[in-house]
Amino acid sequence: MEAFNKIETILSEIEASEVNSAEMLEAFRIKYLGTKNMIKPIFAEMKNVPNDRKKEFGLALNNLKKVAEDKYSALKEIISQQESDREKESIDLTLPPDSDFTGSRHPVSLVMNHMINIFEKIGFVVEEEREIEDDWHNFTAMNTPDDHPARDMQDTFYLKNSVTNLLRTHTSSVQARVMTRQEPPIRIIAPGRVYRNETISARSHCQFHQIEGLYIDKDVSFADMKQTLLYFAKEMYGPKTEIRLRPSYFPFTEPSAEVDVWMGTDTDITYKLTKGTGWLEVLGCGMVDPKVLENCNIDPEVYSGYAFGIGIERSAMQKYDISDIRLLFENDVRFLKQFSSAL
Ligand code: DAH
């Protein structure tokens, strides 16, 4: 029977076929398993096979198909193993790394590290603290009463199933942490991330970074604070930098002020950042409220001090001409790569 012979021929062909590359494997697949494979047309010959041998013919055909499939999977395994061996051999571990893959620091880290260095030079010590806080350290100790709007669920992220645990809304919580465990003199800065439930836009985000400063000792004055902040501004923005202090209000300081640095309105970025005034608000500050000292068991009759909180993002945006705060949190490599030379 001719049809039976065809099956036999293909069977021995398959068994004898040698495959030693991915291309040959693909050719094998097309020939025996592809949509126009050479086994398919033999199925049509069923009609020429006498009835008493039809069953035998069917079994032989199905067997042929299975042999082709099994051989293909076995070959596939061998070829992929060979390829991975070859790849391993071709990696030269003695070559120097590709310089295109040099990492870079995030612009927020660059600015934050710069600020830390400035304060370390005049004796401030870095304190790092938790981002999940309780409301005593974040609000109560900092003289922010229970009914203060800052505690509103609108502004604060409370942890699920908790009325006391929250994501700190400012680094001022570190003041309370340090003052309750350390006796004056205290001279610390606390850099870190803070969170607020705010609508995300080009100018504001629900997470950002601050550096808190705190100095507590005998006879610390408002003039001491002003000199320290002027020194900071000149180191940060250049020796000719001018600052201005505007009276302000914070629950934890009395008196309180906000400090602006003169940027001008020459570029689009400075115009936008300063809302057209030329003055960039960089920090809040003030003399630590006696109530805060009392809350933390420090005698306000003996000690006084100042505190300040600096926002990092706006300075980073001004320094690197970044017009949208969201870029700082998207971790787009194309954006981050641009800072590799800024190290
Ligand atoms: N915690 C304030 C804020 O997040 C910033 C601040 C203002 C910190 C005055 C201070 C300070 O230490 O004295 O807006």
Side-chain angles (χ1 to χ4, degrees), residues 106-233:
H106 193 283
V108 167
S109 298
L110 289 168
V111 170
M112 195 145 95
N113 290 344
H114 188 193
M115 290 179 177
I116 291 172
N117 285 339
I118 293 171
F119 284 108
E120 276 182 340
K121 273 200 237 165
I122 54 168
F124 282 81
V125 174
V126 172
E127 284 285 345
E128 279 186 305
E129 265 296 343
R130 63 207 73 190
E131 290 178 14
I132 295 179
E133 257 305 349
D134 51 54
D135 72 357
W136 191 84
H137 289 88
N138 195 81
F139 291 128
T140 315
M142 302 313 292
N143 198 30
T144 308
D146 272 350
D147 54 1
H148 195 282
R151 287 191 176 213
D152 198 310
M153 302 296 273
Q154 293 277 309
D155 297 314
T156 308
F157 287 117
Y158 283 88
L159 295 204
K160 220 175 173 184
N161 306 327
S162 174
V163 282
T164 52
N165 288 333
L166 46 88
L167 296 178
R168 66 180 180 192
T169 58
H170 52 187
T171 44
S172 302
S173 57
V174 186
Q175 290 190 31
R177 288 269 162 207
V178 174
M179 283 193 280
T180 48
R181 69 170 172 240
Q182 188 186 321
E183 288 195 358
I186 293 171
R187 184 155 46 191
I188 58 117
I189 46 169
R193 199 191 302 253
V194 301
Y195 303 85
R196 281 183 210 171
N197 194 358
E198 274 178 28
T199 311
I200 297 172
S201 71
R203 283 180 53 88
S204 64
H205 209 283
C206 60
Q207 55 172 327
F208 50 99
H209 296 77
Q210 295 182 327
I211 292 188
E212 191 77 12
L214 176 69
Y215 179 39
I216 309 281
D217 205 342
K218 288 176 183 155
D219 303 322
V220 178
S221 70
F222 197 89
D224 293 334
M225 178 181 77
K226 207 173 147 186
Q227 273 318 109
T228 304
L229 296 176
L230 182 60
Y231 153 81
F232 161 73

